[in-house]
Amino acid sequence: MSKRSPRSCRRKNNSPRVVLRGACLIAAAAATVSAWVGASFPDDPSSYGLGRPATEAEIRAWDIDVSPSGDGLPPGRGTVKQGAAVFAKKCAACHGPTGVEGPRDRLVGGQGTLTTSHPIKTIGSYWPYATTLFDYIRRTMPFSAPQSLTPDEVYSVVAWLLYRNGIVDEHAVLDARTLPAIQMPNRHGFVPDPRPDLPRR
């Protein structure tokens, strides 16, 4: 271990040579940033000289949102029975065999608990639109492979989850026509927020 005093260390680190070297490094970095900024931000403010325009195919691949009214739902169909098989294979590891056990979010049950001291927010107790369930599952699930489910698989999983929550019967067949017609139990449980400062969609 060095016996040099803290005072001597400070003198060495603050020596003119060290300070000058630090100043040179800062100046060099500033010159590099200045050159980069000058090269990457041309006079035209509509272009920053980075990237490229997205292709129509790339835009279509991401333009998959589904509105509460069902706009954006793709062709396809699914049943409760088919959904049980898809859920067991691709969803149960996170949500449990019946959608209750976890370890991730509980998806089933909780009806009537929102006004209690221990609300359980699930698809059946909390979600206002069945179409949002399709949108969410298609875009984000399974967690390890989002957007890998076919439209038929998504319709089927939605059917099984709605059945498990007591919203549709075991013979339900969901598609772009039947899904928007489903009334969720908490459909009117939200406070309107019209946001007058934003344009209406």
Side-chain angles (χ1 to χ4, degrees):
M1 175 180 294
S2 172
K3 296 182 179 180
R4 185 182 299 157
S5 70
R7 182 179 178 82
S8 65
C9 289
R10 282 199 298 274
R11 280 202 303 270
K12 183 173 183 179
N13 289 339
N14 291 330
S15 68
R17 180 176 296 174
V18 173
V19 171
L20 178 59
R21 181 175 298 172
C24 290
L25 289 174
I26 292 172
T32 301
V33 171
S34 177
W36 182 83
V37 169
S40 301
F41 294 89
D43 294 336
D44 180 4
S46 66
S47 173
Y48 297 101
L50 299 173
R52 61 172 174 75
T55 66
E56 290 297 325
E58 290 170 335
I59 293 173
R60 282 197 302 272
W62 284 98
D63 186 18
I64 60 172
D65 62 297
V66 175
S67 72
S69 66
D71 291 343
L73 282 170
R77 64 190 294 276
T79 67
V80 173
K81 182 178 180 180
Q82 293 166 337
V86 176
F87 188 90
K89 182 177 181 181
K90 301 186 177 182
C91 313
C94 290
H95 299 288
T98 67
V100 175
E101 300 87 352
R104 304 303 298 175
D105 291 344
R106 178 174 173 174
L107 306 177
V108 174
Q111 285 88 342
T113 67
L114 297 184
T115 57
T116 70
S117 59
H118 299 287
I120 301 173
K121 295 181 179 179
T122 70
I123 293 164
S125 70
Y126 187 71
W127 289 49
Y129 302 105
T131 50
T132 305
L133 183 56
F134 185 100
D135 179 76
Y136 185 81
I137 291 173
R138 180 166 67 157
R139 284 187 293 106
T140 66
M141 296 292 137
F143 183 76
S144 58
Q147 299 187 23
S148 63
L149 298 178
T150 67
D152 285 356
E153 288 178 318
V154 179
Y155 278 118
S156 299
V157 171
V158 170
W160 187 79
L161 289 171
L162 294 178
Y163 166 71
R164 289 287 305 151
N165 277 285
I167 299 170
V168 299
D169 65 41
E170 61 181 325
H171 304 295
V173 179
L174 297 188
D175 55 25
R177 180 183 61 83
T178 57
L179 183 59
I182 294 172
Q183 288 290 313
M184 299 294 279
N186 197 40
R187 171 67 181 86
H188 301 293
F190 289 79
V191 177
D193 183 11
R195 302 287 180 96
D197 55 321
L198 297 177
R200 296 180 66 84
R201 297 181 62 185

